[in-house]
Amino acid sequence: MAYFDNIRLEKGMYGTGRSFTQVLEQLDPSENYKNTELDGLDAYQRQLKRFDIKVSGENSDCVQKFFQTSDSAALFPEYVSRTVRQGMERENILGDILAAKTIIDGTDYRSVVSDPTEDEKKLVPVAEGAFLPQTRVRTSENLVKLNKRGRMLVASYEAVKFQKLDLFTVTLRQIGAYIARQQLSDAVAVLVDGAENITKSGAALAYSDLLELWGAISPYELNTILAPTDGMTKLLSMSQLQDSIAGQDFHASGKMVTPLGAKLLHAPSAQSGKLIALDKNCALEMVQSGGVVTDYDKLIDRQLERAGISVIAGFTKLFPSAVKTLTY
């Protein structure tokens, strides 16, 4: 079993179908460090410690610290991938609308479909000896459409080698935030496509419209509402959503009110004039091919000028009836 400061790091540890950290963990399992000073660090973080590379804080190192040896240079692409993922997680609200996330190795994927009729949703009594009602689960006829989202790093190594990693991290996190916003846009498009639409009852969006939406999504639970910017302002302006407790919470923490108990999420990419209501527990599946992909060979060789960073992912509805839209 290799100890962390004796592992040979190289390009071949990328592009294996597993992440760089997973490869390291196989060579240097974290469980071997329980109750030691390195407890709590994963295999990649131990390699940063090995080469004394500080990636955050006011005493963070410069980018060039990664390239002090050929071994330490192999750590740079994983630093880029991790930082981009951090940006995605900070910006992303997908975790609040996904029922499931599936990671695949290829680019072809068919989800399962089970959308029962109104009669099939009823749990009627079954006589002795009679057949139980059936729930049909089948493979989707169509492949899930996967979109490649990403950015190209356009900067010479000479331009960034003396930059603090703490500052460079900000730039990479913004790339992650961009990818997350694009993925949310893809998710919204899938949710809206083919969803049953309800048109508002009056000239302006009213609380009664939300009640109608709540009733329409039954027997599923209305626990999440996605709203574009104009929809957020209309909802937050409703007198029913301006009670003192909700107002204090919103002004103090920025936490949105919960109309009818549903979590209200701001989706700037959503179509203006349309609210999306869903049961997050069964509405949407995210399918992702691998993780954050970087041009690791270019990054290791300090060819940052045309180094791409991307994620391949798509979305599919699991129970189409668990999504409704409201046009106002």
Side-chain angles (χ1 to χ4, degrees):
M1 190 69 65
Y3 191 64
F4 78 98
D5 58 359
N6 292 319
I7 296 176
R8 173 67 177 169
L9 305 178
E10 56 185 0
K11 288 183 182 180
M13 300 173 77
Y14 292 94
T16 64
R18 295 176 297 164
S19 71
F20 183 79
T21 298
Q22 288 173 330
V23 173
L24 281 177
E25 283 288 351
Q26 186 175 18
L27 297 172
D28 182 38
S30 293
E31 62 185 21
N32 293 342
Y33 298 90
K34 289 183 178 179
N35 301 318
T36 71
E37 62 177 6
L38 299 176
D39 192 4
L41 300 181
D42 63 26
Y44 179 75
Q45 291 169 327
R46 287 192 291 276
Q47 291 301 314
L48 292 179
K49 185 176 182 63
R50 168 188 176 185
F51 293 101
D52 192 30
I53 300 174
K54 301 179 181 65
V55 297
S56 61
E58 61 181 33
N59 295 320
S60 64
D61 291 305
C62 296
V63 173
Q64 67 175 356
K65 188 68 175 290
F66 272 106
F67 300 95
Q68 56 189 330
T69 68
S70 59
D71 283 87
S72 61
L75 297 173
F76 189 61
E78 180 70 0
Y79 154 74
V80 172
S81 296
R82 283 187 169 218
T83 307
V84 170
R85 283 198 300 270
Q86 289 173 5
M88 293 176 63
E89 291 166 0
R90 288 188 177 189
E91 181 74 17
N92 223 336
I93 63 171
L94 286 176
D96 293 316
I97 64 175
L98 290 179
K101 181 176 181 179
T102 303
I103 305 294
I104 61 175
D105 293 329
T107 56
D108 293 338
Y109 178 80
R110 297 180 190 272
S111 186
V112 294
V113 177
S114 177
D115 197 22
T117 64
E118 290 300 320
D119 289 337
E120 290 174 334
K121 294 175 185 176
K122 298 176 182 178
L123 298 179
V124 297
V126 179
E128 183 177 352
F131 291 104
L132 291 170
Q134 298 178 343
T135 295
R136 297 179 180 86
V137 180
R138 68 182 192 278
T139 303
S140 174
E141 297 178 358
N142 301 316
L143 293 171
V144 177
K145 181 181 178 182
L146 303 182
N147 296 314
K148 185 175 183 179
R149 301 293 191 185
R151 286 285 190 177
M152 189 76 71
L153 275 178
V154 183
S156 67
Y157 173 69
E158 287 71 22
V160 299
K161 67 179 181 179
F162 295 122
Q163 293 294 332
K164 291 283 189 178
L165 286 168
D166 205 30
L167 179 60
F168 195 54
T169 293
V170 175
T171 300
L172 294 176
R173 283 176 179 165
Q174 284 304 303
I175 292 177
Y178 163 80
I179 294 174
R181 288 193 291 268
Q182 292 300 312
Q183 288 184 336
L184 177 60
S185 179
D186 293 339
V188 167
V190 169
L191 287 171
V192 172
D193 184 35
E196 180 183 343
N197 182 65
I198 300 170
T199 304
K200 63 181 176 61
S201 56
L205 183 62
Y207 193 70
S208 58
D209 297 319
L210 296 181
L211 294 176
E212 183 178 357
L213 192 61
W214 174 81
I217 206 170
S218 178
Y220 297 102
E221 178 187 1
L222 174 55
N223 50 38
T224 307
I225 295 178
L226 287 169
T229 302
D230 68 317
M232 292 294 294
T233 58
K234 291 180 183 298
L235 287 172
L236 295 174
S237 298
M238 287 183 178
S239 59
Q240 291 88 346
L241 304 183
Q242 292 182 349
D243 64 272
S244 59
I245 297 178
Q248 289 174 5
D249 196 19
F250 177 65
H251 290 301
S253 64
K255 184 179 179 180
M256 299 298 180
V257 293
T258 55
L260 304 178
K263 190 169 187 177
L264 180 59
L265 301 173
H266 183 206
S269 59
Q271 178 184 340
S272 178
K274 190 181 292 290
L275 299 180
I276 305 170
L278 64 143
D279 185 342
K280 61 157 290 186
N281 298 313
C282 55
L284 189 68
E285 177 187 13
M286 179 180 182
V287 181
Q288 184 169 308
S289 178
V292 176
V293 178
T294 62
D295 288 336
Y296 58 86
D297 52 345
K298 292 182 179 180
L299 293 175
I300 292 174
D301 293 336
R302 292 179 283 189
Q303 298 174 9
L304 276 67
E305 291 87 346
R306 303 297 297 173
I309 304 169
S310 62
V311 179
I312 300 176
F315 302 87
T316 183
K317 276 188 282 191
L318 295 174
F319 289 79
S321 299
V323 184
K324 307 292 181 186
T325 61
L326 172 65
T327 301
Y328 53 87

